[in-house]
């Protein structure tokens, strides 16, 4: 079991054979593509990954990542804190054809014969877990803009449907 910063590159096949567990924190400034959707790079995401081989001899990566990030509220444009939580259930595949053969319970991760960048895998999963539109539950939104006097002038116009109201009253 490893605890601390996540390693940059790992060989997931070897880690799965040894059933290694890696836990640690990922600083937000280490995941720049995720930060493009966020406000600021302060904070971290806690990651817990378990490499294993299942009963069908499929090498897997299971685990979770969770933390809090700040996004732009789509109502008031102020920062809003968003809890991000993602569960990993990845099946390692050597090629796209092998990925098609994986059971549906696994999301395929095509690794070939090379090492993978663990931070990139975590970052992609976190991006997928972000909400499309973040907003406060109770933010106050400005509902009137412009000069209040201009609105009052528009209310002094006669109602064009007042003639219809008179016709309706005459028919009774």
């Amino acid at each position: 079991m490893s605890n601390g910063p996540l390693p940059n590159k790992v060989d997931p096949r070897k880690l799965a054979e040894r059933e290694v567990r890696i836990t640690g924190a990922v600083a937000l400034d280490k995941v720049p593509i995720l930060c493009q959707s966020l406000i600021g790079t302060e904070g971290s995401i806690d990651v817990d990954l378990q490499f294993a081989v299942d009963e069908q001899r499929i090498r897997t990566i299971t685990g979770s990542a969770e933390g809090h990030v700040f996004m732009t509220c789509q109502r008031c444009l102020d920062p809003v804190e968003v809890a991000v939580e993602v569960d990993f259930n990845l099946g390692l595949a050597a090629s796209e054809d092998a990925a098609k053969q994986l059971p549906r319970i696994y999301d395929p991760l095509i690794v070939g014969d090379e090492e993978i960048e663990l931070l990139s895998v975590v970052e992609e999963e976190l991006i997928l877990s972000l909400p499309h539109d973040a907003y406060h539950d109770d933010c106050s939104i400005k509902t009137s803009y412009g000069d209040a006097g201009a609105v009052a002038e528009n209310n002094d116009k006669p109602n064009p449907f007042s003639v219809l109201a008179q016709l309706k009253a005459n028919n009774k």
Side-chain angles (χ1 to χ4, degrees):
M1 180 171 160
S2 172
N3 196 354
L6 293 181
N8 289 335
K9 290 195 170 205
V10 296
D11 186 347
R13 295 170 303 280
K14 290 180 183 177
L15 295 177
E17 294 295 330
R18 290 189 267 155
E19 296 190 354
V20 174
R21 182 175 182 184
I22 298 175
T23 60
V26 175
L28 288 178
D29 61 353
K30 300 289 186 194
V31 284
I33 299 172
L34 174 67
C35 288
Q36 292 175 359
S37 302
L38 307 178
I39 298 174
T41 59
E42 300 82 30
S44 64
I45 304 292
D46 295 322
V47 179
D48 182 9
L49 299 174
Q50 176 68 46
F51 295 82
V53 178
D54 72 359
E55 58 275 350
Q56 298 174 6
R57 301 293 304 153
I58 298 171
R59 295 177 179 116
T60 65
I61 304 173
T62 57
S64 63
E66 57 187 33
H68 293 275
V69 296
F70 286 94
M71 297 179 72
T72 302
C73 175
Q74 297 302 306
R75 291 181 181 159
C76 66
L77 302 179
D78 287 334
V80 60
E81 185 175 9
V82 176
V84 289
E85 296 180 13
V86 63
D87 291 322
F88 297 92
N89 198 18
L90 305 174
L92 304 179
S95 65
E96 287 193 33
D97 292 333
K100 291 177 185 176
Q101 302 301 321
L102 287 174
R104 292 218 181 266
I105 61 170
Y106 297 119
D107 292 328
L109 178 62
I110 300 172
V111 295
D113 292 332
E114 66 273 354
E115 294 182 334
I116 62 169
E117 291 186 21
L118 196 55
L119 286 178
S120 295
V121 173
V122 172
E123 180 178 33
E124 289 171 6
E125 294 292 329
L126 287 169
I127 290 170
L128 291 173
S129 73
L130 287 177
H132 186 266
D133 296 319
Y135 54 88
H136 295 102
D137 290 331
D138 59 347
C139 64
S140 60
I141 306 170
K142 282 187 167 181
T143 55
S144 64
Y145 295 96
D147 187 16
V151 175
E153 289 176 12
N154 291 339
N155 291 338
D156 294 338
K157 289 183 178 179
N159 185 350
F161 298 105
S162 62
V163 175
L164 294 175
Q166 291 172 357
L167 289 173
K168 186 176 177 184
N170 288 341
N171 286 338
K172 288 184 180 183

